[in-house]
Amino acid sequence: MTTGQRPTAQPGTGEEEPLPTIAEQMADQLGGWRGLLESSIPVVVFVVANIIGELRPAVIAAVAVAVAIALLRLAQRRPVRHAVNGLFGIAIGAAIAWRTGNERDFYLPGILYGIGYGVVLLLSAAIRQPLVGWIWSVLVAKGASDWRQDARLVRTFTGLTVLWGVVWLAKVGVQAGLYLAHQDTALGVARLVLGYPPYVLLLLITVWTVRRVTRESPQAPVA
C-alpha cells in the first residue's frame, strides 16, 4: 500500500497492484494469530511458574519455551522474526532477574523500552517527523515517502504518532507503578493484558485512518 499515491502497476501488464486489506497488513505486522500466541507463551510460562514455584526455575522455563518456539519455526521454515524478537526480549529480562534475584526485574527491560519508545514517538511528532509515518513508509509503502508532500497525511501521521506515544506511556506507566510498588504478580498480569490488546487496537486505528485519508483526500502540498 502507498500513501497519497495510486496503486503501482505490475510491469508489462498495465494492471494496478491491489491494495493489501487491513487484515493482511495487521497479520503481517503481528505474525498472525500464531505469532501473537507464540510471543505471549514465554511470559505466561514465567508468570505461572513463578507463582507456583521459585524464580530461577521460572526463568529457565520461560527461556526454554522461547528457544523451543524459535527452533520450531526455523525447522518448519517459517518466518522467525517475531520469535527471535520475543526470544531476545525474554533473554534480557531473564538475565537481569537471574542476576538480581528479583522476579520483577524480568519485566524491567520492557518497561524501559516502553518509556523510550513513547518519548521518541512524541518527540518525532513535535519536530514534524512523525515516526508512525516513517514506519508506514518502510513496512507498508515499500520505502516510498510521498506522504511528506501531502499536508493532510502529515497531519494524520502526526496525530497518530501522538496517539501511539500517549497510549504507550500510559500502559508502561501502569507497569512502572506496579514495579515500584513491588507488585510482582500483578505486574506479570499487566504485562499480558497491556501487551497486545492496545497494540492491536492502535494498529487497527492506524491502518483504517490512513486508508480513509488516502482514499478521500486529494494530495495537498505541505506548506
Side-chain angles (χ1 to χ4, degrees), residues 27-190:
D28 178 66
Q29 297 310 309
L30 297 171
W33 288 112
R34 176 172 175 174
L36 281 171
L37 179 63
E38 289 177 348
S39 61
S40 301
I41 289 176
V43 179
V44 173
V45 168
F46 176 82
V47 172
V48 174
N50 192 58
I51 290 174
I52 64 178
E54 298 181 351
L55 172 63
R56 293 198 170 185
V59 168
I60 294 172
V63 173
V65 168
V67 170
I69 289 172
L71 291 177
L72 178 60
R73 272 192 167 267
L74 191 62
Q76 295 175 340
R77 297 186 178 181
R78 292 178 176 270
V80 296
R81 172 167 56 99
H82 298 283
V84 170
N85 290 342
L87 175 59
F88 184 70
I90 290 294
I92 293 178
I96 295 175
W98 186 282
R99 183 177 181 84
T100 63
N102 293 321
E103 60 189 80
R104 65 196 180 109
D105 288 337
F106 179 82
Y107 309 103
L108 183 59
I111 293 173
L112 296 178
Y113 168 80
I115 294 172
Y117 187 51
V119 169
V120 168
L121 282 163
L122 295 181
L123 286 177
S124 73
I127 63 174
R128 295 197 58 172
Q129 294 291 334
L131 185 58
V132 171
W134 290 111
I135 294 174
W136 183 278
S137 293
V138 172
L139 298 180
V140 180
K142 300 180 180 178
S145 58
D146 297 327
W147 61 271
R148 290 293 303 163
Q149 279 67 56
D150 187 326
R152 189 173 180 188
L153 277 171
V154 171
R155 290 194 297 269
T156 298
F157 279 125
T158 299
L160 288 169
T161 300
V162 171
L163 175 64
W164 276 78
V166 169
V167 171
W168 222 259
L169 289 177
K171 73 172 192 172
V172 80
V174 172
Q175 295 178 59
L178 293 172
Y179 177 87
L180 294 175
H182 297 264
Q183 299 294 321
D184 301 337
T185 301
L187 178 57
V189 174

Side-chain angles (χ1 to χ4, degrees), residues 3-21:
T3 54
Q5 277 190 316
R6 294 177 181 175
T8 56
Q10 295 289 354
T13 65
E15 297 180 358
E16 291 185 343
E17 181 181 351
L19 294 175
T21 65

